[in-house]
Amino acid sequence: MSRSGKSSNNCDGNAASGSRTNQGSSEASHLYHEIAHLTRLGSEPNERFSRVVPGKLRLRLPISPVDMLVGREANYSGRGRFSSADCCHVLSRYLPINGPAVVNTMGSHAYVSQFSADGSLFVAGSQESHIRIFNVDAGWTVQKDILARSLRWTITDASLSPDQRFLVYSSMSPIVHIVNIGSAETESVANVTEIHEGLDFSLGDDDDDDYTRGIFSVKFSTDGRELVAASGDNSIYVYDLPTNKLSLRIQAHESDVNTVCFADETGHIMYSGSDDSLCKVWDRRCFGTKGQASGVLMGHIEGITFIDSRGDGRYFISNGKDQAVKLWDIRKMSSTITCNSVRINEEWDYRWMKYPAHARNMRHPQDQSLATYKGHSVLRTLIRCYFSPSYSTGQKYIYTGSADSYVYIYDLVTGARVAKLDFHLDAVRDLSWHPFYPALVSSSFDGVIAHWEFPGGNEEPVPAKRRRRWRREHL
């Protein structure tokens, strides 16, 4: 979370100026890579749907829903129904840009906002100890109002178990707490109305400064038996819930580890990102006694705030303090660090300083990323980014919060910015796209949890009507 530490320069040259050909700005060209093909396979219709009338080809996408329905009724695809890609082609056109409606006002900086895997629950966490779990299917009613225990500074992360029975939350402390959210009590006050069990990630170290071991990110494994956490002591931790003890500590990076996640549902591979500007890949199946990473990916020139996996054990995206989202293929990783990051300025601190104008077009001399997406602002806090849902969009978009108070949506293949949502008055730290419907919820430092959606029918998107006040400027 802190600014990147000093690093030596092992590069052949300093960070270069200019932009990559597939960089995700308004001038971006198409991404020519296997993932572009996979994205098209998952979000473009059967080629036979391109016939508006038999024998005539439509040369351009998208195909209108009416033409898609005509093609289905005429059985152009030969299946007699829509495939998942056909459905994604229709649904992905309807971006959640209408509104928004205010779901809740937290009363302090909102740090966390996440839908459950089935979209029935929504979790929102704020700086002043509150976590609220909303029942989406019951009209966004509060199912659980949690007052956190032993909070240090803020709730840094929260995660629902796969069976949606438990929630874990972390703060700037090595203790992660777990809560049973399936109980009948609506109000959950730590150790007053309910027990919030503490899970100790400290290994019994005698370090008086718990802030250096604060947990920035915590996630459940797919089977719900393990937690993986990123820590301020440069380490990754794996906690085994059935035995109630730490099963693994990896001294992973040279600076704070801000983010970690499992690569896929197997739980064997993990990705981590740090203030040392490196992304690392860890394979637990071949983890030796030295605890070395399987590989490292270089490309950011400042610290990494968040990583989101595509879920296929191959691709992921990262948000960086160099004001960019990057797309990665782990097959391009190096076995060793061949070029340490060259910081733009050792005195620059993202928490309270603007990003230097001269650094906006700089790039790492040995950038291994597939594509870079720019336009948003990564300042003040650990801004998060995600792939759009597989079910409704075929993961064809990348969306991110921003310190300038907007929500940005980029096209993964073209790099173009397809939407910029304007409503909040302060930094948008976290956000979540509903797994099945064209709905998105953003949480901001203005304390507001905002719900965006597609208007439906023939309605035009309605712009936000909230009266604008002074906002922080970072650009």
Side-chain angles (χ1 to χ4, degrees):
M1 186 176 180
S2 63
R3 67 187 177 94
S4 302
K6 293 183 179 180
S7 57
S8 59
N9 178 12
N10 295 335
C11 309
D12 294 333
N14 290 332
S17 298
S19 58
R20 304 176 61 200
T21 56
N22 57 348
Q23 187 166 328
S25 63
S26 58
E27 297 84 13
S29 59
H30 283 62
L31 171 63
Y32 295 102
H33 187 270
E34 180 188 17
I35 191 172
H37 179 62
L38 292 174
T39 302
R40 292 189 181 101
L41 285 178
S43 61
E44 290 187 359
N46 188 293
E47 61 181 8
R48 295 181 182 178
F49 278 113
S50 62
R51 295 184 297 176
V52 179
V53 294
K56 185 177 180 180
L57 295 179
R58 180 187 292 272
L59 299 178
R60 297 180 61 185
L61 295 173
I63 300 172
S64 74
V66 172
D67 288 339
M68 291 285 291
L69 290 170
V70 169
R72 185 187 67 180
E73 295 306 307
N75 198 21
Y76 286 175
S77 67
R79 297 172 177 168
R81 58 180 176 82
F82 284 149
S83 67
S84 60
D86 297 333
C87 293
C88 283
H89 180 71
V90 175
L91 289 172
S92 64
R93 297 178 61 192
Y94 303 119
L95 296 176
I97 59 176
N98 186 60
V102 174
V103 173
N104 200 261
T105 301
M106 300 296 289
S108 63
H109 292 350
Y111 269 73
V112 177
S113 62
Q114 286 297 303
F115 279 108
S116 61
D118 65 0
S120 64
L121 299 178
F122 179 81
V123 178
S126 70
Q127 186 171 12
E128 291 186 354
S129 304
H130 266 98
I131 302 172
R132 293 191 178 109
I133 301 177
F134 299 89
N135 188 321
V136 178
D137 296 340
W140 291 87
T141 56
V142 176
Q143 177 170 310
K144 204 79 170 177
D145 193 354
I146 300 170
L147 185 62
R149 175 189 177 191
S150 304
L151 187 70
R152 288 211 172 187
W153 176 246
T154 183
I155 292 167
T156 55
D157 203 4
S159 179
L160 280 172
S161 62
D163 61 8
Q164 299 179 187
R165 293 177 55 208
F166 298 95
L167 177 134
V168 292
Y169 61 86
S170 61
S171 69
M172 296 298 293
S173 162
I175 306 298
V176 171
H177 291 92
I178 186 166
V179 188
N180 183 352
I181 65 170
S183 62
E185 292 286 339
T186 299
E187 188 175 10
S188 178
V189 180
N191 295 348
V192 176
T193 61
E194 291 186 328
I195 299 298
H196 293 195
E197 183 182 356
L199 310 177
D200 191 355
F201 283 69
S202 67
L203 288 175
D205 295 337
D206 295 327
D207 188 347
D208 293 332
D209 186 7
D210 281 347
Y211 281 94
T212 64
R213 296 175 295 156
I215 302 297
F216 296 124
S217 175
V218 62
K219 297 287 182 290
F220 273 97
S221 61
T222 305
D223 61 9
R225 297 175 59 86
E226 291 182 317
L227 296 173
V228 62
S231 172
D233 66 354
N234 309 348
S235 300
I236 298 170
Y237 292 91
V238 178
Y239 196 97
D240 186 80
L241 290 171
T243 62
N244 199 28
K245 65 179 182 180
L246 280 173
S247 60
L248 181 64
R249 179 191 182 186
I250 308 169
Q251 293 181 310
H253 290 267
E254 297 299 319
S255 190
D256 293 358
V257 184
N258 294 324
T259 177
V260 65
C261 67
F262 290 106
D264 55 24
E265 61 183 12
T266 67
H268 297 313
I269 300 174
M270 300 181 295
Y271 306 140
S272 64
S274 166
D275 274 336
D276 62 12
S277 79
L278 299 174
C279 297
K280 290 187 177 182
V281 180
W282 309 87
D283 190 339
R284 298 163 65 190
R285 294 168 297 185
C286 51
F287 204 70
T289 56
K290 295 183 179 179
Q292 293 181 338
S294 298
V296 61
L297 289 157
M298 298 164 286
H300 283 290
I301 60 174
E302 288 293 338
I304 294 157
T305 64
F306 195 72
I307 282 175
D308 185 45
S309 173
R310 193 171 182 267
D312 56 8
R314 184 172 295 175
Y315 300 103
F316 68 91
I317 54 174
S318 60
N319 223 351
K321 298 174 187 177
D322 51 6
Q323 316 303 298
V325 172
K326 285 185 176 289
L327 172 66
W328 307 90
D329 180 348
I330 67 171
R331 294 171 297 182
K332 294 173 66 68
M333 66 186 179
S334 301
S335 58
T336 58
I337 302 171
T338 58
C339 177
N340 286 354
S341 173
V342 183
R343 294 201 65 222
I344 55 173
N345 185 336
E346 290 295 340
E347 300 304 317
W348 179 74
D349 194 316
Y350 88 116
R351 291 173 293 182
W352 49 72
M353 299 172 69
K354 294 181 178 180
Y355 194 67
H358 73 273
R360 291 190 176 277
N361 291 323
M362 294 174 63
R363 65 181 177 91
H364 196 287
Q366 296 187 24
D367 191 352
Q368 296 170 295
S369 65
L370 301 180
T372 304
Y373 308 83
K374 290 187 175 183
H376 60 292
S377 175
V378 185
L379 298 169
R380 297 180 63 202
T381 185
L382 302 178
I383 304 288
R384 298 183 169 191
C385 64
Y386 301 93
F387 288 99
S388 62
S390 176
Y391 177 85
S392 59
T393 71
Q395 297 180 300
K396 68 179 294 184
Y397 301 116
I398 291 170
Y399 63 106
T400 178
S402 181
D404 61 10
S405 80
Y406 298 102
V407 172
Y408 290 78
I409 303 176
Y410 301 104
D411 186 291
L412 184 144
V413 175
T414 68
R417 189 187 77 199
V418 297
K420 180 180 178 182
L421 310 185
D422 178 13
F423 177 71
H424 290 289
L425 303 176
D426 210 335
V428 177
R429 183 183 190 270
D430 201 6
L431 61 174
S432 186
W433 197 313
H434 193 283
F436 304 115
Y437 303 127
L440 183 148
V441 179
S442 53
S443 61
S444 168
F445 273 19
D446 63 10
V448 173
I449 308 298
H451 178 217
W452 307 82
E453 61 183 356
F454 182 76
N458 295 320
E459 305 171 40
E460 290 295 323
V462 178
K465 295 181 179 179
R466 188 178 184 190
R467 186 162 58 90
R468 304 298 294 174
R469 298 197 305 269
W470 174 86
R471 77 164 84 203
R472 292 176 179 266
E473 295 294 343
H474 300 282
L475 299 181

